[in-house]
Amino acid sequence: MSRRLLEKQIARIREKYPEEEFFDRLFEKVASSYVDFERVQKLKDRSIRLMSQELHDLYRAQEEKQQAFISTILGKIVDGIITCNKAGKIISVNSSAEHIIGKDESEVRDLELSTILADFETYDEFLSHYYLNLAKNENQIEVSISGKAEAQIPCEVSVSQFEMDEVSTIVILRDITERKKVEAIIIEEKEKAEKASRAKAEFLSTMSHEIRTPMNSIIGMTNILIQDDFDEETMNLLNTLKFSSEHLLVLINDILDFNKIEAGKIEFEHIDFNLKELVENINESHKYRANEKGVQIELAIDPMVPNWVVGDPGRLSQILTNLVGNAVKFTTEGSVITRLTPQQKEGSTIDILFEVIDTGIGIAEGKQKLIFESFSQSETYTTRQYGGTGLGLAITKKLIELQNGHLEVTSTPRIGSNFHFSLQFTLSNTPDDALAKPVAGAYATQDELVGLKILLVEDNPINQFVAGKFLSKWKCDVTIAENGHEAWEKVQADEFDIILMDLQMPGKNGFEATREIRNSDKVYKDIPIIALTATAFLEEKNRALKAGMNDFVTKPFNPKELYEKILKNMTHST
């Protein structure tokens, strides 16, 4: 009830009961109470106004403090930060963004974001491009920012979109100019390294060819002479010449393989081969030298080891040849045993343990790790007494490791050594009695190639003589072409059963000649072609097979290998 209404009611009561003093006192008390109430109310209202003002001032101070704090943080951040509204108009930029775009905030405020993006016409085009890359799991994109003096500043950009007051989009820019400079330097250095690597590969390929060409002549001539009847002293001289030249060839191969391993260019074949025959042949090839020293060379193959497996026979032969060769070299009496034992057979694969055990000089425990390092042997006098580059075991170890194996040695000085490793092979479907043995027997009789018409494509006269001598010995009908162009002409003019093709020749090389033959529509397009080359790199072999060649023999060639490759690939015997 209001004060005025209460006073009117009390006044009417006083008029009705004028003699009653009680109502006068009541009126005075009510009036006094209202005065006190109004005074308190005014004090309360004033207090509320003061508190409200203090709270407002405190809120404003806190907000200004927060804004100053945020501005300080944004100013310290090295990334540029730009805020935009829904239309893509710039609201604010931090100092880093000002530095990147080369303009103050006042100069770009209310401009559309696309005006500083060199690669996009509109804000929507930029967002579409960004989210398209976001769908590809890329959190940022690279764009060019229009900077000072029309400079293009490469930046990484990320975008966040949300609703907060007038801000709809935050764009974060990171200047990657320095990174781009470093990347350009890295790319340039990488290209230089690749160019140097290619030059090195070409140099090694050329050197391999140039070194192997005279080696082919020396070893070839020696093999020709050994097949004739000479007195014992002459035969010993020829065998020494043969051994020395083959040893030189091993050193050349070691150097080439070491370079390939260092460059990561080693590749492995996966072909069917007769494992037992390969190991038998390796042991057989070391018997002459072992017999000279009075060392017995033995072979122990577990009956459960399969004849045929799938793997790389060339690399396995290289590994075992090195280990058996070392064992014979460092053994003066006793024996060298090559042992094969099956370990684990699972599905279509089998693990086989290879051991080469000798009774040679042995290796001290402290030197056993050293022998696997490049250019190292257990003792300095070992190199002087026994020779070698110190590369053989390092290469062998790496070849085994690249096939997921591990080469280990147990050895005792003056008692002997056991070098052992395990390799996994895929089991072959080739029958145990397939191909290999009949071919070896055929070489023993050397009468399977009689009358075979062979085109020998070779530019080196000595190589022509060496290869021609063996082919004539096998009673083949040999025609010689000195380059790819001449080979193409002879193929068109005559019929041949097989072609032996050198790869590196002046004019038209072996690759070009082979492709020309294969691309023709004549009957000779399917004639077997065997690469006969001094190039020992697997890349060249793959290139030869890709060009259309059927097989590959490396010079200096082993007469038996050449004979068997011709027999395997020939169209018919006459």
Side-chain angles (χ1 to χ4, degrees):
M1 181 180 295
S2 69
R3 179 180 175 183
R4 289 182 179 280
L5 181 59
L6 184 59
E7 287 177 346
K8 286 181 180 181
Q9 289 180 344
I10 293 174
R12 283 197 294 271
I13 294 172
R14 289 176 64 189
E15 287 176 358
K16 190 173 181 179
Y17 303 102
E19 68 279 2
E20 295 290 337
E21 295 180 0
F22 167 77
F23 293 106
D24 290 336
R25 290 195 301 276
L26 177 62
F27 178 78
E28 289 174 1
K29 286 185 177 289
V30 169
S32 175
S33 296
Y34 267 105
V35 169
D36 292 341
F37 175 77
E38 288 176 349
R39 186 183 301 113
V40 170
Q41 188 66 34
K42 286 180 180 178
L43 288 172
K44 180 180 176 182
D45 290 344
R46 183 182 177 190
S47 296
I48 290 172
R49 285 195 301 272
L50 289 173
M51 288 177 64
S52 177
Q53 184 64 43
E54 287 179 2
L55 288 172
H56 178 72
D57 292 344
L58 182 62
Y59 174 78
R60 286 291 300 275
Q62 188 68 22
E63 187 179 52
E64 288 173 359
K65 185 177 180 181
Q66 287 180 346
Q67 288 179 345
F69 178 68
I70 292 171
S71 296
T72 300
I73 291 176
L74 294 178
K76 296 294 184 182
I77 291 176
V78 295
D79 290 339
I81 299 177
I82 302 175
T83 61
C84 301
N85 61 20
K86 290 181 179 179
K89 297 289 183 68
I90 296 174
I91 297 172
S92 66
V93 298
N94 70 344
S95 58
S96 295
E98 289 178 333
H99 177 74
I100 292 171
I101 62 181
K103 294 179 182 179
D104 294 333
E105 182 180 270
S106 59
E107 297 178 78
V108 296
R109 190 184 294 120
D110 293 330
L111 294 178
E112 189 176 273
L113 182 65
S114 59
T115 58
I116 65 168
L117 299 175
D119 303 320
F120 304 98
E121 295 291 334
T122 66
Y123 174 68
D124 290 338
E125 182 187 351
F126 162 70
L127 286 182
S128 297
H129 182 75
Y130 176 78
Y131 285 112
L132 180 64
N133 282 271
L134 197 63
K136 298 176 183 176
N137 297 320
E138 296 180 16
N139 295 324
Q140 62 272 324
I141 62 172
E142 290 187 11
V143 301
S144 294
I145 300 296
S146 299
K148 291 180 180 178
E150 300 182 354
Q152 302 287 303
I153 312 298
C155 289
E156 272 185 352
V157 173
S158 59
V159 175
S160 295
Q161 286 193 295
F162 52 87
E163 295 294 334
M164 186 182 74
D165 298 330
E166 61 176 338
V167 176
S168 174
T169 304
I170 292 180
V171 179
I172 299 177
L173 308 175
R174 175 166 294 175
D175 188 343
I176 56 173
T177 301
E178 292 305 315
R179 193 180 80 188
K180 286 293 183 182
K181 288 179 181 178
V182 172
E183 287 177 357
I185 293 172
I186 291 173
I187 291 171
E188 183 180 357
E189 292 302 318
K190 179 174 177 288
E191 289 174 350
K192 286 181 181 178
E194 288 174 347
K195 185 177 180 181
S197 178
R198 286 193 299 271
K200 181 180 178 182
E202 290 171 3
F203 170 76
L204 289 173
S205 178
T206 301
M207 287 303 297
S208 171
H209 185 275
E210 294 302 316
I211 293 172
R212 284 172 174 274
T213 296
M215 288 300 300
N216 181 55
S217 303
I218 297 169
I219 295 175
M221 292 290 193
T222 305
N223 284 328
I224 290 170
L225 291 171
I226 284 175
Q227 295 185 39
D228 291 332
D229 293 327
F230 289 101
D231 58 73
E232 185 178 351
E233 183 181 358
T234 304
M235 289 301 294
N236 287 336
L237 292 173
L238 288 172
N239 281 320
T240 301
L241 175 62
K242 184 174 186 292
F243 171 77
S244 298
S245 56
E246 288 177 345
H247 180 64
L248 177 58
L249 188 61
V250 168
L251 298 181
I252 294 167
N253 288 337
D254 280 350
I255 294 169
L256 294 175
D257 276 338
F258 180 74
N259 277 281
K260 285 192 285 186
I261 289 172
E262 289 287 292
K265 294 291 183 68
I266 287 287
E267 298 180 23
F268 293 92
E269 292 184 306
H270 296 280
I271 60 175
D272 294 86
F273 70 97
N274 191 310
L275 175 61
K276 290 183 178 179
E277 182 178 323
L278 180 143
V279 179
E280 288 170 2
N281 289 340
I282 290 171
N283 258 33
E284 191 67 29
S285 68
H286 288 85
K287 272 190 176 179
Y288 175 79
R289 189 178 177 201
N291 291 339
E292 276 189 325
K293 303 176 70 175
V295 174
Q296 188 173 356
I297 190 161
E298 302 174 11
L299 180 61
I301 302 179
D302 189 288
M304 298 304 294
V305 172
N307 282 352
W308 288 83
V309 294
V310 178
D312 191 327
R315 293 302 178 188
L316 179 59
S317 177
Q318 184 178 356
I319 291 166
L320 291 176
T321 296
N322 182 272
L323 294 178
V324 175
N326 279 349
V328 172
K329 178 166 67 172
F330 294 113
T331 302
T332 56
E333 59 180 356
S335 64
V336 172
I337 303 171
T338 303
R339 178 183 294 154
L340 274 65
T341 310
Q343 288 190 302
Q344 182 177 358
K345 185 177 180 181
E346 185 175 342
S348 61
T349 63
I350 185 169
D351 292 345
I352 298 175
L353 173 65
F354 295 83
E355 296 175 276
V356 177
I357 307 163
D358 66 62
T359 57
I361 62 174
I363 307 162
E365 186 176 355
K367 301 289 185 178
Q368 289 176 15
K369 289 185 178 179
L370 178 67
I371 62 172
F372 295 116
E373 296 179 7
S374 303
F375 310 105
S376 296
Q377 292 188 339
S378 60
E379 301 289 351
T380 305
Y381 76 82
T382 304
T383 303
R384 294 195 300 267
Q385 182 174 353
Y386 296 98
T389 61
L391 281 175
L393 279 177
I395 292 170
T396 298
K397 181 174 184 289
K398 191 64 177 177
L399 289 175
I400 293 170
E401 290 174 347
L402 289 171
Q403 297 177 86
N404 300 315
H406 186 63
L407 178 61
E408 296 179 328
V409 61
T410 53
S411 184
T412 303
R414 295 181 298 280
I415 292 178
S417 304
N418 180 336
F419 285 84
H420 49 276
F421 63 94
S422 289
L423 288 180
Q424 186 176 88
F425 298 92
T426 302
L427 295 170
S428 173
N429 295 321
T430 305
D432 284 349
D433 59 350
L435 293 178
K437 291 299 182 183
V439 170
Y443 181 72
T445 59
Q446 298 184 16
D447 59 3
E448 293 292 327
L449 306 185
V450 175
L452 198 69
K453 295 190 68 174
I454 296 179
L455 176 62
L456 174 62
V457 188
E458 170 64 64
D459 64 311
N460 185 285
I462 298 177
N463 289 342
Q464 291 174 6
F465 175 79
V466 171
K469 195 74 174 175
F470 280 104
L471 294 173
S472 297
K473 182 179 179 63
W474 300 329
K475 297 180 173 60
C476 299
D477 183 1
V478 183
T479 300
I480 294 176
E482 295 190 352
N483 53 57
H485 179 74
E486 192 174 322
W488 172 240
E489 290 181 341
K490 290 184 182 296
V491 164
Q492 295 178 90
D494 202 351
E495 292 184 5
F496 296 97
D497 297 309
I498 202 161
I499 299 174
L500 301 180
M501 182 79 74
D502 189 16
L503 298 182
Q504 297 185 19
M505 296 177 289
K508 185 177 291 183
N509 61 39
F511 301 106
E512 294 168 332
T514 299
R515 280 192 289 267
E516 195 162 21
I517 292 169
R518 294 292 183 240
N519 292 334
S520 67
D521 56 358
K522 305 297 183 182
V523 66
Y524 49 73
K525 72 182 181 68
D526 295 321
I527 185 172
I529 302 175
I530 299 175
L532 183 58
T533 176
T535 302
F537 292 99
L538 184 58
E539 296 89 339
E540 288 294 282
K541 178 178 180 180
N542 292 335
R543 187 181 168 199
L545 296 176
K546 188 176 180 180
M549 298 184 195
N550 302 85
D551 219 325
F552 194 95
V553 175
T554 303
K555 293 183 288 191
F557 62 83
N558 181 313
K560 180 175 180 289
E561 180 191 8
L562 178 61
Y563 186 96
E564 292 175 356
K565 289 287 181 76
I566 294 173
L567 183 57
K568 186 179 78 170
N569 289 280
M570 72 179 186
T571 54
H572 64 274
S573 297
T574 57

